[in-house]
């Protein structure tokens, strides 16, 4: 037994020495005297772009346990996807409450083991790491905190950095963590070249004096230095601005920031053009603090939260590079095994399988971060929607694009032709392009392994079935996965139209010859494509290594669909005696035999019940046009019926108790025992009637309320005086700061889209107010358009009936308030356009009313219905 222990010790010692020897030849990151991160071997500037990912801790850890899944296997799959997206950076704030005891001693537990394993797997893919040592908050979200005995639970977060016992515990923890030896790499964290550096804590909450803050940071730096660490240490400077100058007086080498440009946790999917919100990242103290440019800049977290759009990420990468950031990591990449429900962080949602459009946008953003010059300016919006070598973003197309000659990536359907198709070596996309025609909804990658030999990877279809940003539950699916079989046409000159097509991922056996450039009934998987008469220089097999992956690797969720899912949003309003087009997604593992529409006018007792058959237009999309004769004033109500074999299901069928979209009701409305009374409904109005933008129905009525420059207290009241008077909605703002601006917004895009003909004759915005309530002299109203521009006019005194009328000709282009309020709060709150764009009513997307309040007093706004005439 003793001999065995000695041999084991010698083996471990040799492994450690070999790892150390290997590490000394691996380039590391250092920060020069001008605050620039550089590679030790070439002295070239470094640029990192990637994600946070939290599976070893908190809810993600627990959720995989609830599901009985192998956490290390899950890490393998997710790290593969992160590498497949071309990301080279990983950051995490460790949950110290799950890693420590009450005195700050590091615990050798499963959380630490998973973190070590994750680091080793990232290292294999050449992904670099920044470790934020502590969060100093609980591990519960979105559940309740779970007691662990960790030291952070003993102190309030804002007392953590001034309490002597808490500081001592942090010193112990930091010392133990930095010198901890990862058993999977044989390297201490301080010695692993893949670990770029350490951030002391996540979003500190300082409450002490400047000298106390400085003393705290110096004690943390000393605890880390005692381990022999020579890596850079970073500190968050975007919080606690009152002590920001102190941060730069310490020996930290890097500074960290976050960016949530449209706020967090809206509770629903946000809509609109948010490009003005990410036009610049102006650090308020950049010119005020001595030594600002002597420390490296890192974005530890960023995300345009609560949106499913795919046009934002590259534009944010562009703005970060202009602001001088070299490390940029999104928060947070969802583990694939729980991404179907988006429970980990309700306000964030990113995963290659479940949000393919956003994932490809991230891949494009990574290329932007690597290639755009630090500090380079690309103008102001909308000029900066085209930048660098082939980057483009578009709100109206919901598109990110890279087209630089060799790489051709697109996050959505595009008509842009590649600069030179004959020079292409890498394609990644969602939807169709001039090079790839594909009806599936998953992402795909087409990469040249050598001339005439290409690798094709196809992810399964993702279909959004519920709002991903509403309240989450592991029982509530928000995106479902289907394994559709779609034709894919490929037009790559190097591949030609005739090529061999061979499946290489495990369990996939398909092999055939393609004669016309079209792969028929292509299912998800990995395939080797070889041009006809091509003799490869290498024997490419599934385990062949290529760019930090093996070419046969594949990770994807299993199909989740059992019954057909019908995803449909009815038109909000349409006009009588005009045809109505209805579109819906009908997703399943097979095609239905038929999809039809019944209106609420049918009856079991009628001999003839008309119906409209829906036709598949592409992918899972079905469409039908209701004749104008069927569209009468009032409401148009209808069902969608899906038929397959002997099975018939009717949609909608209400919402289940856990909030899932209904899987339909068995049978159809003409069955004698059909009892459901759920319908989709579109309001039908007379063609000449006014365009209603706001109807006051309750205390919300779809209106969002904000105050700039800071948060305020708000009370909403529905004023419903009598049965013969129309209600008013009262907003009472209690300002906390000086010179407050109170803003009301409502999305009206749907109301405008359904009345395009009437809109052409509209000339005036009409607002009903309480004519007996004095309004501020600076009360204005107008619109935000699809350009992200705001056009407003001053509200005149109301008529005796309480109507304010603002002619379109009086609307003026003005600054756009950047709402919801961004984090960090020192960022600009208004976008000032440098380009004049005339007001175009057909581009209206949001209604906006604003009033200037008085300092630290109450301001009341009472409004009723709003319309165009």
């Amino acid at each position: 037994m003793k001999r065995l222990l000695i041999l084991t010790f010698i083996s471990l010692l040799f492994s450690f020495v070999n790892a150390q020897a290997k590490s000394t030849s691996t380039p590391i990151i250092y920060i020069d005297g001008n605050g620039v991160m550089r590679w030790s071997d070439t002295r070239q500037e470094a640029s990192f772009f990637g994600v946070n990912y939290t599976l070893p801790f908190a809810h993600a850890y627990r959720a995989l346990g609830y599901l009985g899944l192998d956490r290390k296997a899950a890490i393998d799959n997710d790290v593969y996807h992160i590498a497949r997206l071309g990301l080279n950076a990983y950051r995490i704030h460790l949950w110290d409450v799950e890693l420590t005891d009450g005195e700050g001693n590091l615990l050798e537990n499963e959380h630490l083991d998973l973190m070590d394993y994750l680091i080793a797997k990232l290292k294999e893919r050449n992904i670099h790491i920044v470790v934020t040592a502590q969060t100093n908050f609980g591990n519960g979200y979105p559940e309740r905190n779970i007691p662990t005995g960790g030291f952070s639970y003993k102190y309030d977060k804002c007392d953590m950095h001034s309490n002597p016992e808490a500081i001592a515990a942090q010193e112990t923890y930091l010392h133990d963590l930095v010198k901890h030896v990862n058993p999977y790499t044989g390297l201490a964290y301080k010695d692993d070249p893949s670990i770029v550096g350490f951030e002391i804590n996540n979003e500190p909450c300082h409450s002490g004096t400047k000298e106390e803050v400085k003393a705290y940071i110096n004690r943390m730096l000393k605890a880390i230095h005692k381990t022999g660490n020579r890596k850079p240490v970073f500190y968050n400077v975007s919080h606690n601005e009152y002590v920001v100058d102190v941060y730069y007086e310490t020996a930290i080498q890097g500074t960290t920031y976050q960016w949530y440009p449209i706020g967090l946790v809206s509770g629903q999917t946000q809509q609109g053009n948010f490009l003005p919100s990410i036009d610049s990242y102006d650090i308020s103290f950049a010119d005020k603090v001595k030594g600002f440019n002597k420390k490296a800049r890192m974005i530890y977290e960023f995300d345009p939260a609560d949106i499913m759009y795919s046009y934002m990420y590259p534009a944010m990468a562009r703005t970060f590079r202009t602001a001088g950031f070299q490390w940029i990591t999104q928060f947070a990449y969802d583990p694939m095994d729980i991404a179907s429900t988006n429970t980990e962080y309700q306000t964030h949602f990113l995963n290659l399988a479940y949000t393919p459009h956003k994932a490809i946008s991230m891949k494009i953003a990574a290329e932007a971060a690597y290639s755009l010059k630090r500090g380079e300016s690309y103008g102001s919006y909308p000029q900066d929607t085209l930048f660098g070598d082939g980057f483009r973003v578009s709100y109206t197309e919901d598109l990110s694009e890279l087209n630089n000659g060799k790489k051709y990536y697109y996050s959505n359907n595009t008509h842009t032709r590649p600069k030179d198709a004959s020079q292409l070596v890498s394609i990644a996309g969602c939807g169709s392009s001039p090079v790839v025609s594909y009806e599936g909804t998953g992402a795909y990658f087409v990469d040249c392994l050598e001339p005439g030999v290409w690798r094709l990877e196809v992810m399964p279809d993702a279909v959004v079935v519920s709002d991903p940003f509403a309240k989450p539950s592991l029982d509530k699916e928000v995106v479902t996965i289907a394994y559709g079989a779609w034709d894919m046409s490929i037009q790559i000159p190097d591949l030609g139209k005739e090529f061999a097509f061979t499946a290489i991922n495990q369990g996939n056996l398909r092999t055939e010859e393609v004669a016309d450039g079209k792969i028929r009934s292509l299912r998800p998987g990995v395939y080797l494509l070889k041009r006809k008469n091509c003799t490869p220089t290498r024997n490419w097999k599934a385990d062949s290594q290529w760019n930090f992956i093996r070419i046969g690797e594949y990770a994807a969720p299993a199909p989740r669909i059992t019954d057909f899912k019908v995803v449909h949003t009815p038109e909000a309003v349409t006009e009588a005696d005009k045809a109505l087009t209805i579109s819906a997604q009908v997703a399943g593992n097979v095609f239905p035999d038929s999809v039809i529409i019944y209106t609420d006018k049918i009856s079991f007792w009628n001999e003839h019940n008309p119906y409209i058959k829906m036709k598949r237009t592409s992918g899972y999309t079905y469409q039908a046009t209701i004749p104008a004769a069927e569209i009468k004033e009032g409401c148009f109500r209808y069902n969608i019926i899906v038929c397959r074999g002997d099975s018939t299901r009717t949609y909608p069928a209400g919402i289940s108790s856990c909030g899932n979209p209904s899987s339909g009701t068995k049978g159809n409305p003409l069955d004698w025992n059909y009892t459901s009374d759920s319908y989709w409904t579109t309001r039908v109005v007379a063609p000449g009637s006014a365009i209603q933008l706001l109807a006051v129905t309750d205390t919300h009525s779809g209106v969002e309320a904000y105050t700039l420059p800071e948060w305020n207290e708000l009370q909403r009241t529905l004023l419903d005086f009598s049965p013969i008077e129309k209600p008013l909605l009262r907003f009472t703002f209690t300002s906390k700061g000086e010179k407050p601006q109170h803003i009301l917004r409502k999305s009206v895009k749907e109301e405008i889209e359904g009345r395009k003909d009437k809109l052409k004759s509209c000339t005036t915005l009409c607002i009903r107010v309480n004519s007996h309530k004095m309004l501020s002299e600076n009360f204005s109203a107008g619109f935000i358009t699809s350009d992200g521009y705001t056009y407003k006019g001053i509200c005149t005194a109301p008529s005796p009936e309480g109507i304010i009328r603002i002619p379109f000709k009086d609307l003026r282009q003005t600054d756009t308030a950047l709402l919801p309020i961004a984090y960090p709060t020192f960022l600009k709150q208004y976008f000032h356009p440098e380009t004049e764009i005339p007001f175009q009513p057909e581009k209206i997307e949001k209604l906006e009313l604003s009033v200037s309040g008085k300092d630290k007093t109450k301001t009341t706004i009472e409004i009723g219905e709003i319309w165009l005439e």
Side-chain angles (χ1 to χ4, degrees), residues 355-415:
T355 66
H357 300 275
K358 292 178 71 173
I360 296 298
S361 181
M362 275 289 286
K363 181 175 179 65
I364 296 166
E367 295 291 334
Y370 306 149
S371 64
L372 298 179
K373 186 178 179 181
R374 180 175 55 88
E376 187 81 15
S377 176
Y378 300 93
S380 179
Y381 174 79
Q383 282 79 17
D384 60 7
T385 56
L386 298 170
F387 54 94
D389 184 9
F391 294 99
R392 181 170 79 95
V393 294
S394 170
Y395 161 66
T396 55
E397 298 173 74
D398 185 19
L399 177 67
S400 300
E401 197 172 74
L402 169 59
N403 183 14
N404 68 6
K406 292 186 177 296
K407 296 178 180 179
Y408 183 55
Y409 304 155
Y410 41 92
S411 67
N412 219 328
N413 295 317
T414 182
H415 297 291

Side-chain angles (χ1 to χ4, degrees), residues 410-427:
Y410 41 92
S411 67
N412 219 328
N413 295 317
T414 182
H415 297 291
T416 303
R417 304 197 68 82
K419 283 186 177 180
D420 185 350
S422 67
Q423 297 299 310
L424 288 176
V425 297
S426 182
I427 301 163

Side-chain angles (χ1 to χ4, degrees), residues 146-162:
I146 298 174
T148 62
F151 72 89
S152 286
Y153 275 143
K154 296 165 64 175
Y155 314 97
D156 180 80
K157 183 174 175 67
C158 292
D159 189 39
M160 183 67 63
H161 315 309
S162 56

Side-chain angles (χ1 to χ4, degrees), residues 357-644:
H357 300 275
K358 292 178 71 173
I360 296 298
S361 181
M362 275 289 286
K363 181 175 179 65
I364 296 166
E367 295 291 334
Y370 306 149
S371 64
L372 298 179
K373 186 178 179 181
R374 180 175 55 88
E376 187 81 15
S377 176
Y378 300 93
S380 179
Y381 174 79
Q383 282 79 17
D384 60 7
T385 56
L386 298 170
F387 54 94
D389 184 9
F391 294 99
R392 181 170 79 95
V393 294
S394 170
Y395 161 66
T396 55
E397 298 173 74
D398 185 19
L399 177 67
S400 300
E401 197 172 74
L402 169 59
N403 183 14
N404 68 6
K406 292 186 177 296
K407 296 178 180 179
Y408 183 55
Y409 304 155
Y410 41 92
S411 67
N412 219 328
N413 295 317
T414 182
H415 297 291
T416 303
R417 304 197 68 82
K419 283 186 177 180
D420 185 350
S422 67
Q423 297 299 310
L424 288 176
V425 297
S426 182
I427 301 163
C430 291
S432 292
S433 72
V435 171
V436 179
S437 178
Y438 183 62
E439 292 185 51
T441 62
Y444 52 82
F445 306 85
V446 195
D447 294 288
C448 185
L449 304 179
E450 64 170 281
V453 182
W454 293 69
R455 178 185 186 269
L456 169 64
E457 180 174 359
V458 181
M459 294 296 291
D461 298 326
V463 181
V464 178
V465 295
S466 184
D467 190 335
F469 306 109
K471 187 175 180 179
S473 166
L474 285 169
D475 295 322
K476 174 189 167 188
E477 184 179 55
V478 298
V479 176
T480 196
I481 294 294
Y483 273 57
W486 309 103
D487 293 349
M488 176 180 280
S489 295
I490 302 176
Q491 298 184 48
I492 301 174
D494 178 67
L495 186 61
K497 291 191 173 183
E498 298 182 68
F499 53 84
F501 167 70
T502 305
I504 56 174
N505 62 297
Q506 188 174 7
N508 195 349
L509 303 176
R510 185 175 175 184
T511 299
E512 62 185 63
E513 299 292 326
V514 174
D516 57 358
K518 179 183 287 188
I519 304 170
R520 289 169 172 78
S521 299
L522 175 65
R523 290 195 175 275
V526 180
Y527 303 87
L528 197 65
L529 312 181
K530 187 177 70 173
R531 186 181 64 226
K532 185 177 181 179
N533 299 324
C534 171
T535 303
T537 61
R538 181 176 172 183
N539 182 21
W540 294 99
K541 296 182 179 179
D543 61 354
S544 297
Q545 198 73 22
W546 176 79
N547 287 0
F548 302 106
I549 70 169
R550 288 173 285 104
I551 68 167
E553 281 189 273
Y554 187 67
R560 295 184 60 89
I561 288 182
T562 52
D563 294 317
F564 287 105
K565 301 281 188 180
V566 175
V567 184
H568 172 62
T569 301
E571 295 293 326
V573 61
T574 190
E575 294 180 349
D577 302 318
K578 289 187 178 179
L580 173 65
T581 298
I582 295 175
S583 294
Q585 283 192 297
V586 182
N589 290 317
V590 293
F591 287 132
D593 294 332
S594 63
V595 179
I596 62 174
I597 293 174
Y598 279 137
T599 74
D600 63 344
K601 301 297 189 293
I602 65 167
S603 169
F604 169 75
W605 303 104
N606 291 345
E607 187 173 345
H608 299 289
N609 286 288
Y611 65 89
I612 302 293
K613 186 172 183 178
M614 301 188 79
K615 295 182 179 180
R616 192 175 73 86
T617 56
S618 66
Y620 297 108
T621 301
Y622 285 73
Q623 194 172 90
T625 299
I626 309 299
E630 298 289 325
I631 309 300
K632 300 300 181 184
E633 283 187 55
C635 288
F636 180 75
R637 305 199 305 166
Y638 56 97
N639 295 117
I640 295 177
I641 293 85
V642 180
C643 306
R644 171 76 182 187

